[in-house]
């Protein structure tokens, strides 16, 4: 870029900042720490609408334009500081950075997949999941050199493309045509490096739910500097705005040079609370509100931690497959190929340094983790998920790294019994799972192959009809509509009503006072499960309050679960008409 272009970009950006970000800079000037790094988040769409020429320069010369933006921010801060009438509580800050977000949604700028070689030098928005974070390091990025002949002092910057190594200058850059090639590094004379910044590397992976079947998720390293350091953790869904760059290690004779593509981040946006690729506007909300106005009486069931136990061929894997499809953030795995490290956290050694790599439960944070063939997990691997299910966190102490990671995930597991399921035995005997693990599941549902002739006829005709020419029902929601609906209701926080509260409390007390109660299933976790399920059912019915209907539905679902898991328990008695006696509960 020539000097005229640099001046134009600087002036336009200064006027933009004074119009849209004056309050942000004023708040930064009020901060007490003068050496800290402060971000100013700039919306690219608004900036490009102000001046289209800036957008063109930014696309072609992203590195140079970002440097101009930072300089313009400092000039704007100085102008605002000088215009203040009472400058006692404010001070000038030198480390202000322009953080670009909100790029126009087009294939050239926004990517769901890892960039390739053709993208080098471009400013892109890349979406992915953090699978590894390194320790924060101190990086020296500038050194002062002095020419031994003319005593000219100049600055040499670390070369990003060679892992921030310093290349000694070949000739003196002074304007006096000094051709000396001997220099003294002034930074070596001081006791400690003075020009340093925080530095961290993270590794992101393509989001699994965006990949086609059979695709292996690719990953790439992302460089974080200054205020971006420690802005994310393993398992976070991120949108990273940055420049795609190449880097390689210094050349060595007879050694092959390996070049890798990395993303030098300019801004990191954490998307854990946002719905992946789904727009939830007022129009969508209104559509679902109208739907429930028309279908107020239709009952549905909610879910929390759920274990499906059943004979082979009862469709357990299909339940898991479709549950993972309709949940925006989900991980589907099998017990045979999973270890405790694969489910929780793995310690990985990279370049002589230990890092933590997130497993299935961490990657499914704030989503759904489906585990098929749950009984195939080894005993010590199953116990590793106890804390994840109960405390919603995972405590890690591996290779000298001690930390705690969030696993706020719903676990949907499926398991086979040992041989044919025996209804006369308890579920713990049928599937050989310990009581501590079983008590953590809110619901345990048993699917039995009853060998009923009528049922076999219905199933076989349905399968044969779908194999030939599948029939499409107009009243059924599409997969995308269900995804949108589940994203919408997740934000609801229902409150318990007095009627619902009494039903849940009375049912819990009745279970506790029963003479033949199962101690593993009637702990305080039962009451917590009832509350979670009642709130889930209220969300599913698009309500802000847990009503009497929600509580009774949850009690009936829990009764179905308790019946099959406690063969020796005395059930709620039936009335003369054949219905359950609700007075025992209410």
């Amino acid at each position: 870029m020539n000097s005229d272009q640099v001046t134009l970009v600087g002036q336009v950006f200064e006027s933009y900042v004074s119009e849209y970000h004056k309050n942000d800079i004023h708040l930064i000037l009020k901060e007490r720490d003068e050496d800290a790094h402060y971000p100013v988040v700039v919306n690219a769409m608004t900036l490009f609408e102000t001046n289209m020429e800036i957008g063109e320069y930014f696309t072609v010369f992203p590195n140079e334009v970002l440097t101009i933006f930072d300089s313009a921010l400092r000039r704007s801060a100085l102008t605002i500081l000088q215009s203040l009438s009472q400058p006692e509580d404010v001070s000038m800050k030198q480390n202000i950075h322009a953080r670009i977000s909100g790029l126009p949604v087009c294939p050239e700028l926004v990517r769901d997949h890892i960039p390739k070689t053709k993208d080098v030098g471009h400013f892109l928005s890349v979406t992915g999941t953090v699978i590894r974070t390194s320790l924060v390091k101190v990086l020296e990025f500038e050194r002062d050199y002095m020419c031994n002949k003319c005593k000219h002092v100049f600055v040499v910057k670390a070369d990003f493309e060679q892992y921030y190594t310093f290349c000694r200058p070949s000739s003196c850059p002074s304007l006096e045509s000094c051709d000396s090639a001997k220099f003294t590094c002034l930074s070596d004379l001081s006791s400690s490096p003075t020009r340093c910044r925080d530095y961290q590397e993270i590794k992101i992976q393509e989001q699994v739910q965006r990949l086609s079947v059979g695709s292996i998720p690719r990953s790439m390293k992302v460089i974080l500097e200054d205020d971006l350091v420690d802005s994310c953790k393993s398992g976070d869904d991120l949108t990273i705005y940055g420049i795609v760059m190449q880097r390689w290690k210094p050349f060595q004779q007879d050694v092959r040079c390996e070049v890798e593509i990395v993303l030098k981040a300019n801004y990191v946006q954490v998307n854990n609370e946002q719905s992946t690729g789904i727009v939830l506007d007022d129009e969508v909300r209104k559509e679902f509100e109208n739907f429930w106005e028309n279908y107020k009486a239709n009952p549905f069931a909610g879910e929390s931690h759920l274990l499906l136990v059943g004979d082979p061929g009862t469709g357990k894997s299909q339940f898991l497959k479709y549950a993972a499809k309709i949940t925006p953030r989900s991980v589907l795995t099998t017990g045979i190929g999973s270890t405790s490290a694969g489910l929780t956290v793995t310690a990985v050694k990279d370049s002589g340094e230990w890092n933590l790599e997130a497993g299935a439960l961490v990657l499914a944070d704030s989503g759904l983790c489906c585990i098929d063939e749950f009984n195939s997990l080894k005993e010590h691997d199953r116990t590793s998920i106890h804390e994840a299910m109960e405390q919603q966190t995972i405590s890690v102490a591996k290779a000298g790294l001690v930390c705690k990671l969030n696993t706020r995930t719903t676990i949907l597991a499926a398991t086979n019994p040992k041989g044919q399921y025996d209804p006369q035995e308890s579920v713990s005997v049928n599937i050989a799972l310990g009581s501590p693990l079983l008590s953590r599941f809110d619901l345990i549902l048993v699917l039995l192959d009853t060998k009923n002739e009528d049922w076999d006829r219905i199933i076989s005709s349905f399968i044969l009809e779908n194999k030939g020419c599948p029939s499409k029902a107009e009243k059924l929601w599409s997969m995308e509509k269900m995804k949108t609906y589940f994203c919408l209701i997740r934000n609801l926080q229902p409150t318990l009503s007095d009627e619902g509260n009494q039903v849940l409390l009375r049912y819990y007390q009745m279970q506790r006072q029963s003479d033949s109660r199962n101690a593993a299933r009637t702990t305080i976790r039962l009451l917590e499960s009832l509350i979670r399920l009642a709130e889930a059912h209220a969300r599913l019915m698009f309500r802000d309050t847990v009503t009497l209907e929600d509580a009774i539905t949850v009690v009936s679902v829990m009764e179905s679960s308790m019946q099959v898991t406690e063969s020796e328990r005395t059930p709620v008695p039936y009335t003369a008409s054949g219905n359950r006696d609700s007075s025992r509960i209410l």
Side-chain angles (χ1 to χ4, degrees):
M1 294 177 68
N2 58 42
S3 57
D4 293 338
Q5 292 171 335
V6 170
T7 305
L8 172 66
V9 172
Q11 289 175 349
V12 172
F13 190 70
E14 274 188 68
S15 63
Y16 169 82
V17 168
S18 61
E19 182 178 353
Y20 291 95
H21 296 283
K22 191 172 183 179
N23 291 335
D24 296 338
I25 293 181
H26 191 68
L27 291 173
I28 291 173
L29 294 176
K30 286 184 176 179
E31 296 289 337
R32 296 184 180 277
D33 191 352
E34 296 185 7
D35 296 326
H37 293 262
Y38 299 98
V40 175
V41 182
V42 176
N43 186 282
M45 286 285 286
T46 312
L47 176 62
F48 296 165
E49 287 172 3
T50 306
N51 190 305
M52 292 298 294
E53 206 170 346
I54 278 198
E56 295 174 5
Y57 289 139
F58 183 76
T59 307
V60 180
F61 310 107
N63 258 321
E64 293 89 334
V65 171
L66 285 173
T67 306
I68 298 169
F69 284 175
D70 289 354
S71 303
L73 274 176
R74 287 192 290 272
R75 290 197 300 270
S76 298
L78 184 60
T79 305
I80 293 172
L81 180 65
Q82 292 172 348
S83 65
L84 294 175
S85 56
Q86 294 180 341
E88 290 84 9
D89 298 333
V90 297
S91 59
M92 183 59 192
K93 309 296 188 299
Q94 294 298 328
N95 300 319
I96 307 178
H97 305 284
R99 301 301 183 195
I100 308 298
S101 70
L103 288 176
V105 181
C106 59
E108 292 80 11
L109 298 176
V110 178
R111 303 289 172 85
D112 292 330
H113 302 289
I114 297 300
K116 298 181 179 178
T117 309
K118 64 180 181 180
D119 299 313
V120 171
H122 295 162
F123 191 94
L124 300 177
S125 162
V126 181
T127 305
T129 304
V130 182
I131 59 172
R132 187 191 303 173
T133 57
S134 72
L135 300 174
V136 178
K137 302 175 183 176
V138 177
L139 172 72
E140 186 183 10
F141 64 96
E142 280 184 357
R143 283 182 182 174
D144 288 332
Y145 281 86
M146 183 179 69
C147 175
N148 291 347
K149 183 178 179 181
C150 67
K151 306 302 180 184
H152 174 66
V153 178
F154 55 95
V155 176
V156 174
K157 293 187 177 182
D159 187 2
F160 175 87
E161 294 181 334
Q162 296 192 52
Y163 285 80
Y164 286 102
T165 54
F166 286 94
C167 301
R168 288 187 68 88
S170 56
S171 62
C172 180
S174 68
L175 301 176
E176 300 175 358
S177 64
C178 172
D179 296 328
S180 173
K182 294 184 178 180
F183 309 96
T184 302
C185 180
L186 300 179
S187 301
D188 290 344
L189 302 178
S190 60
S191 58
S192 61
T194 54
R195 297 177 186 176
C196 296
R197 57 166 57 126
D198 292 330
Y199 171 86
Q200 185 184 26
E201 287 189 12
I202 66 172
K203 193 174 185 181
I204 64 169
Q205 176 183 279
E206 293 172 332
Q207 292 176 324
V208 180
Q209 58 266 31
R210 294 179 182 269
L211 298 177
S212 57
V213 178
S215 300
I216 298 175
R218 294 179 299 148
S219 59
M220 78 180 302
K221 290 183 179 178
V222 180
I223 312 301
L224 307 180
E225 294 179 355
D226 301 328
D227 56 293
L228 300 179
V229 165
D230 275 341
S231 58
C232 59
K233 56 188 180 301
S234 293
D236 283 347
D237 273 346
L238 301 181
T239 300
I240 300 176
Y241 300 86
I243 304 171
V244 182
M245 301 185 74
Q246 293 175 327
R247 67 176 184 178
W248 55 86
K249 294 191 175 176
F251 298 117
Q252 297 178 4
Q253 190 173 0
D254 299 329
V255 176
R256 180 184 175 184
C257 178
E258 294 186 358
V259 181
E260 68 171 340
I261 297 176
V262 296
L263 188 65
K264 187 177 182 182
N266 174 260
Y267 179 58
V268 175
Q269 181 180 337
V270 181
N271 302 326
N272 290 351
E273 302 302 323
Q274 298 181 8
S275 310
T276 311
I278 295 174
V279 179
L280 299 176
D281 53 15
D282 293 335
E283 187 178 340
V284 173
R285 185 182 296 271
K286 188 68 177 173
E287 180 186 351
F288 289 119
E289 286 175 356
N290 293 336
F291 172 84
W292 285 112
E293 284 294 324
N294 299 328
Y295 298 93
K296 280 184 177 177
N298 282 15
F300 283 91
E303 67 178 40
S304 194
H305 291 320
L306 175 63
L307 178 64
L308 296 176
V309 183
D311 295 324
T314 50
K316 301 185 298 297
S317 298
Q318 293 296 319
F319 276 116
L320 269 61
K321 177 183 173 183
Y322 279 92
K325 271 188 179 180
I326 62 177
T327 307
R329 192 171 185 191
S330 59
V331 174
L332 179 61
T333 183
T334 57
I336 296 175
S338 300
T339 61
S340 60
L343 285 173
T344 55
V345 175
T346 313
V348 180
K349 196 169 188 179
D350 184 20
S351 303
E353 180 183 304
W354 286 99
N355 297 308
L356 294 178
E357 197 160 299
L361 291 172
V362 180
L363 293 176
D365 183 32
S366 300
L368 176 71
C369 183
C370 300
I371 307 175
D372 203 358
E373 305 289 347
F374 194 66
N375 57 323
S376 300
L377 280 172
K378 296 178 183 176
E379 181 62 32
H380 70 277
D381 295 334
R382 280 200 297 262
T383 55
S384 67
I385 68 174
H386 281 197
E387 183 191 359
M389 296 178 69
E390 182 71 17
Q391 310 298 335
Q392 302 284 281
T393 57
I394 284 179
S395 300
V396 183
K398 295 184 178 183
L401 301 172
V402 180
C403 66
K404 186 173 284 191
L405 299 173
N406 285 325
T407 55
R408 297 159 297 187
T409 177
T410 296
I411 293 179
L412 177 56
T415 181
N416 291 315
K418 296 187 301 180
Q420 191 77 14
Y421 190 90
D422 185 3
Q424 302 303 319
E425 296 287 347
S426 66
V427 70
S428 57
V429 174
N430 272 291
I431 60 177
L433 287 180
S435 296
L437 187 56
L438 284 179
S439 67
R440 284 169 164 80
F441 285 101
D442 296 333
L443 288 175
I444 300 173
L445 300 181
V446 176
L447 306 174
L448 296 177
D449 188 1
T450 55
K451 300 179 176 62
N452 184 302
E453 186 179 346
D454 296 334
W455 179 248
D456 290 345
R457 188 182 300 111
I458 293 170
I459 292 295
S460 57
S461 61
F462 176 78
I463 293 174
L464 291 172
E465 179 187 353
N466 282 337
K467 286 288 184 183
C469 181
S471 59
K472 292 186 178 179
E474 295 180 359
K475 291 185 178 180
L476 295 180
W477 285 0
S478 66
M479 196 68 72
E480 285 302 316
K481 191 170 184 179
M482 290 182 70
K483 242 184 198 181
T484 306
Y485 182 66
F486 281 118
C487 284
L488 179 64
I489 62 176
R490 282 192 62 174
N491 299 322
L492 295 177
Q493 298 294 332
T495 55
L496 278 168
S497 64
D498 293 338
E499 298 90 346
N501 215 340
Q502 288 177 6
V503 170
L504 298 180
L505 181 61
R506 186 71 191 95
Y507 179 73
Y508 170 68
Q509 290 173 343
M510 189 192 71
Q511 291 289 340
R512 293 280 290 175
Q513 292 164 6
S514 175
D515 295 333
S516 56
R517 71 185 181 92
N518 186 332
R521 291 286 289 160
T522 53
T523 63
I524 192 65
R525 286 177 183 154
L526 174 62
L527 182 59
E528 293 174 348
S529 297
L530 290 169
I531 295 171
R532 278 196 298 267
L533 291 170
E535 290 177 348
H537 188 269
R539 286 192 193 97
L540 198 59
M541 302 295 285
F542 206 68
R543 286 196 284 257
D544 293 326
T545 307
V546 176
T547 62
L548 185 64
E549 177 192 348
D550 298 321
I552 292 176
T553 304
V554 167
V555 167
S556 63
V557 172
M558 187 62 75
E559 271 296 296
S560 302
S561 174
M562 297 290 254
Q563 268 189 318
V564 295
T565 57
E566 301 176 22
S567 58
E568 72 280 1
R569 192 184 62 77
T570 304
V572 175
Y574 285 84
T575 61
S577 61
N579 297 322
R580 281 192 180 275
D581 184 5
S582 301
S583 62
R584 284 285 301 278
I585 301 174
L586 301 178

